[in-house]
Amino acid sequence: MVIRKSYAIHQCPLFKMASRKKLAALLGFDLSVLEGLSAATNNFRTFEIKQGIKLRKVEVPKRRLERIHRKVFSLLERIEKPEYLHSGIKGRSYITNAKVHTGSVPLVKLDLKKFYPSVDGARVYRFFQQALQCSPDVSGLLTKLCTIDGHVPTGSCVSQLLAYFSAKPMFDDLHILSSQWGLRDTCYVDDLTWSGERATPAFLWNAKKVVHRHGFKYHKDRVYTADDQKLVTGVMIDGDRIAVLPSRELKLWKDINALGMNEPLERLAAVNSLIGSVVANGQIEKRFLQRLRRLRDTKISLVRQLEVNFSREPSF
């Protein structure tokens, strides 16, 4: 396994990129292809998915553009990131994000509203042109390739990091504010959390002003006292420990108990999904992993049963 080391931003191959031909070579495409894609209006598949009671629009790049996005992502992924960021970094996750805030201390949080659609082309352009110091024409080409309808797409592999870097001036200002108040701070995509003795409504109001000053909107703000159970990026914090949400645990056990009601092929798909859920919950509380061996045994049994059923089907 090759371990890919991170580098300072000035060591990124995109840094001070002044030629569109060199950019095309770096991305592995002819310049004419990049120019054609940048001018096209049908580079994405768009559809809606249901999240709770709301519909969320998803914008996924088509195959050729996706290859370009993957290359850009691989270059951005290796740029050094600050300690407060827990998304888009190997070894960090929504769980490590929550763990930072364990302890019986006050906690405040808020979400950035419609974060990806709010990261517009102007912000993306400034990132390429100012932070990476690319030439204006290179910055313009990269911006057109990495955005849809003038904003960061919601369903691309590059979106998470590109949105972060494009909004980094705001995140850095929030980190400075947090340090001035003596708080622990984390960012997970669009979830912002602070904890410590001075994590108060007064601090949260100052954080909101920073968000507003940078042209973003916020919602879902919440203030917890030191003794409250706290919910951070889907993880329950109870004093010094983290726990799985009771509603999530109940759903898991219901889904496991309902396995026998499905046909073998449906059960196999359900088992695969449950294994993923158990592993995710097991990273929060190890007791969930006790079910893992039983689910894997069930999966092996179902695969064998399906193989037998398939071999018995008549051939024509």
Side-chain angles (χ1 to χ4, degrees), residues 23-61:
L23 173 66
L26 177 65
L27 299 180
F29 284 85
D30 290 336
L31 178 57
S32 60
V33 173
L34 298 188
E35 291 174 336
L37 287 171
S38 71
T41 58
N42 61 341
N43 288 328
F44 290 82
R45 293 184 296 109
T46 61
F47 53 91
E48 291 183 330
I49 59 173
K50 193 171 183 180
Q51 288 188 329
I53 61 173
K54 295 182 179 180
L55 290 176
R56 174 174 173 263
K57 187 176 182 181
V58 182
E59 299 144 336
V60 180

Side-chain angles (χ1 to χ4, degrees), residues 25-232:
L26 177 65
L27 299 180
F29 284 85
D30 290 336
L31 178 57
S32 60
V33 173
L34 298 188
E35 291 174 336
L37 287 171
S38 71
T41 58
N42 61 341
N43 288 328
F44 290 82
R45 293 184 296 109
T46 61
F47 53 91
E48 291 183 330
I49 59 173
K50 193 171 183 180
Q51 288 188 329
I53 61 173
K54 295 182 179 180
L55 290 176
R56 174 174 173 263
K57 187 176 182 181
V58 182
E59 299 144 336
V60 180
K62 294 181 180 178
R63 182 174 298 178
R64 182 173 285 187
L65 185 62
E66 181 188 18
R67 288 171 56 194
I68 294 171
H69 282 198
R70 288 191 180 280
K71 181 62 179 179
V72 175
F73 167 78
S74 71
L75 298 171
L76 300 184
E77 182 189 27
R78 297 178 64 187
I79 297 175
E80 293 172 347
K81 325 269 187 330
E83 284 298 315
Y84 66 74
L85 185 66
H86 284 258
S87 51
I89 302 175
K90 289 182 180 179
R92 299 186 197 175
S93 66
Y94 69 98
I95 299 173
T96 64
N97 182 82
K99 282 182 176 179
V100 170
H101 302 287
T102 55
S104 297
V105 293
L107 181 147
V108 297
K109 65 177 188 175
L110 58 82
D111 289 0
L112 299 172
K113 189 174 183 179
K114 295 183 179 179
F115 181 45
Y116 287 177
S118 298
V119 181
D120 57 24
R123 297 180 195 273
V124 175
Y125 179 86
R126 283 197 295 270
F127 164 62
F128 287 124
Q129 201 269 326
Q130 296 179 9
L132 281 171
Q133 297 184 29
C134 297
S135 66
D137 57 341
V138 168
S139 299
L141 182 56
L142 282 167
T143 299
K144 288 179 180 178
L145 290 170
C146 293
T147 59
I148 176 175
D149 297 334
H151 64 79
V152 170
T154 56
S156 169
C157 62
V158 78
S159 297
Q160 195 175 98
L161 282 178
L162 184 59
Y164 164 71
F165 280 119
S166 299
K168 190 173 184 292
M170 177 191 65
F171 291 123
D172 285 348
D173 282 353
L174 287 168
H175 177 64
I176 291 170
L177 178 68
S178 176
S179 298
Q180 291 170 344
W181 284 64
L183 301 178
R184 294 173 290 183
D185 63 321
T186 60
C187 167
Y188 188 82
V189 190
D190 55 358
D191 290 359
L192 304 169
T193 310
W194 301 270
S195 62
E197 293 300 328
R198 299 182 68 192
T200 61
F203 168 80
L204 191 57
W205 175 243
N206 280 275
K208 289 177 178 179
K209 288 193 288 186
V210 172
V211 172
H212 181 73
R213 186 172 72 243
H214 282 272
F216 288 93
K217 296 181 179 180
Y218 52 81
H219 64 159
K220 299 181 181 178
D221 53 314
R222 184 71 189 269
V223 177
Y224 294 97
T225 67
D227 296 328
D228 286 338
Q229 287 187 327
K230 309 167 182 77
L231 181 62
V232 176

Side-chain angles (χ1 to χ4, degrees), residues 248-262 267 270-271 273-275 277-278 281 288 290-292 294-295 298:
R248 183 175 294 176
E249 181 173 359
L250 178 62
K251 182 180 184 305
L252 178 63
W253 299 145
K254 283 184 175 180
D255 289 345
I256 289 175
N257 292 330
L259 276 176
M261 301 171 62
N262 300 321
R267 285 209 304 272
V271 166
S273 177
L274 285 169
I275 287 174
S277 296
V278 167
N281 289 336
F288 284 86
Q290 296 171 2
R291 288 277 186 152
L292 194 56
R294 189 176 301 176
L295 283 170
T298 300

Side-chain angles (χ1 to χ4, degrees), residues 2-22:
V2 178
I3 299 176
R4 301 179 66 188
K5 294 183 178 180
S6 60
Y7 42 52
I9 192 168
H10 68 269
Q11 294 176 316
C12 176
L14 286 171
F15 190 73
K16 289 190 174 181
M17 179 66 69
S19 164
R20 295 199 302 173
K21 285 186 177 180
K22 289 183 179 179

